[in-house]
Amino acid sequence: MVNLFDTLGINNEELSQSFEGLEKLKSQFDILSESPDKFNSFFAKKGWIAHESMNQDLILRCIEFAESNQPDIGEENLIEYYSSNQIYWLVSRLQGISAFRKRYPLLKLAYQDTLEGRFHSAVPIILMMMDGVVSDINSNEGFFADKSDLTAWDSIAAHSTGLMVLRDILSASRKKTSEETILMPFRNGILHGRDLGYANRTVVAKSWAALFAVNDWARSIEDGKKQAPPVKPEPTLKEQLESLISSVNSLEKSKEANKKLESWKARNLIIGVDVPEKGKSEDYAISTPEQEAIRFAEYWQGKRYDLIAKQVHYHFVKNINYKKETGKARAALEKNTLVNYKISKITDCTPAISEVALLVTIERNGNIHELPILLRLIYQNLDGNILVFGEPDGRWLFVESFFHTLEYLD
């Protein structure tokens, strides 16, 4: 192999360093790729499964507790997360699927009930909506139906150790009336009035987690991932060589990216000291997430919905119809006049992802509303490739997860 690289004029020492960087990346990838199965092996029987939109740090933390014989602490972390306002963006994200969108007003009420401790009302709503969503997508076979197929190719939630296992657990037969506290959202016992001790934080947390897993499954189905793609033929020798040369070039790029990854540090910004709480976009450092967030607010006030549409991250969508997306932004924002705004928090989550929390004041139909909006921004180039914060030719795009929530302010 080394001789082949010599003939291509590639320095062996540099190549070795590139491979070392690749090995580190591969090791990190292996940890992440194996974590869903590991998580499920520890927690599926307890009513928790890994899913695409699940917080990766939470998954790894729970696995660490389980491997050190402290699974109960891991479960406490899960309960705390899925019964708090940390799931706000996951709840908002439900509106991306039609079957969820028509049920969103009820799910929004269940979310509010959860935060205010009304678990007795939140749990039945979540279970009913979950069953209805799957029925809409799955030829009238609800989530809890024996014949319901909850698998999908290349999906974490719809893996064989995921939703199908969870469905069997939650649809267990409950034939006796019991007042004892249960820690699992048993559908039959709760909705048939047999399990009377369901109104607790553990049950509501597991219900939300299951619902979010169903949402990830629904997205896989919508993306056409129900069946695996056809198997491609084996590449020719020429194609293999071209792929090898391309890989070497990629290794060199990976080497540079790895250096930037290792040197990256999250900024610890103090609002009002390091960055203005409010100002014009030009008052903020160029090519920063906070500048793009303020730019969004300026576009909103200026009714520049066409420019807002170009700030949205579209998740691998090609040939974006910006005219259509401009209409979506207008429909969400036009009736909501942005009166005031300020930055309340900036969090650098990863080398390519930052979150900017805005506190906005909105006038709608003569009523004034003050509410938080979280912009989760991703740094990438014009080709859609993720970049490390600070690399040239990048731009920040935000994940649209709050437009639809504005519809229910009144």
Side-chain angles (χ1 to χ4, degrees), residues 28-204:
Q28 294 171 3
F29 175 78
D30 287 343
I31 291 173
L32 294 178
S33 61
E34 293 170 2
S35 60
D37 281 338
K38 273 192 175 182
F39 179 90
N40 288 349
S41 70
F42 288 121
F43 295 100
K45 291 182 179 179
K46 296 177 178 289
W48 310 96
I49 62 166
H51 54 94
E52 280 82 348
S53 57
M54 190 174 185
N55 183 292
Q56 187 64 44
D57 290 337
L58 179 62
I59 290 178
L60 296 177
R61 189 162 67 247
C62 290
I63 291 173
E64 186 176 342
F65 280 122
E67 289 181 335
S68 60
N69 295 319
Q70 302 178 84
D72 290 346
I73 298 179
E75 188 166 23
E76 287 173 10
N77 276 253
L78 292 166
I79 295 168
E80 172 61 29
Y81 180 86
Y82 282 104
S83 62
S84 71
N85 60 8
Q86 294 181 80
I87 64 171
Y88 173 79
W89 78 275
L90 287 170
V91 175
S92 299
R93 187 171 176 267
L94 296 173
Q95 300 167 97
I97 298 291
S98 174
F100 274 103
R101 191 156 50 244
K102 63 187 67 173
R103 295 172 171 85
Y104 188 73
L106 284 169
L107 289 169
K108 187 179 178 183
L109 290 173
Y111 171 67
Q112 194 63 39
D113 285 343
T114 299
L115 298 185
E116 296 175 5
R118 292 187 293 272
F119 307 134
H120 63 283
S121 60
V123 171
I125 290 175
I126 299 169
L127 295 179
M128 289 188 292
M129 296 306 102
M130 183 162 59
D131 212 16
V133 163
V134 176
S135 291
D136 284 359
I137 297 172
N138 220 15
S139 301
N140 293 322
E141 293 288 348
F143 177 82
F144 299 97
D146 292 338
K147 297 180 181 179
S148 186
D149 183 4
L150 300 169
T151 59
W153 177 79
D154 197 27
S155 168
I156 296 174
H159 188 270
S160 59
T161 63
L163 280 173
M164 297 291 279
V165 172
L166 187 61
R167 186 272 311 275
D168 291 343
I169 294 173
L170 302 189
S171 59
S173 177
R174 311 288 289 178
K175 296 182 178 181
K176 293 182 179 180
T177 299
S178 173
E179 297 178 79
E180 293 184 7
T181 298
I182 60 171
L183 301 178
M184 199 77 76
F186 294 120
R187 182 261 186 191
N188 295 329
I190 295 171
L191 297 187
H192 292 165
R194 289 300 184 91
D195 280 313
L196 307 180
Y198 71 87
N200 59 72
R201 189 174 299 277
T202 299
V203 171
V204 80

Side-chain angles (χ1 to χ4, degrees), residues 211-227:
L211 187 75
F212 299 141
V214 168
N215 184 43
D216 288 335
W217 163 81
R219 287 173 178 267
S220 293
I221 298 298
E222 191 172 79
D223 290 341
K225 294 182 179 180
K226 180 61 179 174
Q227 304 297 333

Side-chain angles (χ1 to χ4, degrees), residues 242-252:
E242 290 174 346
S243 176
L244 182 60
I245 295 172
S246 176
S247 296
V248 171
N249 292 333
S250 296
L251 280 173
E252 290 300 314

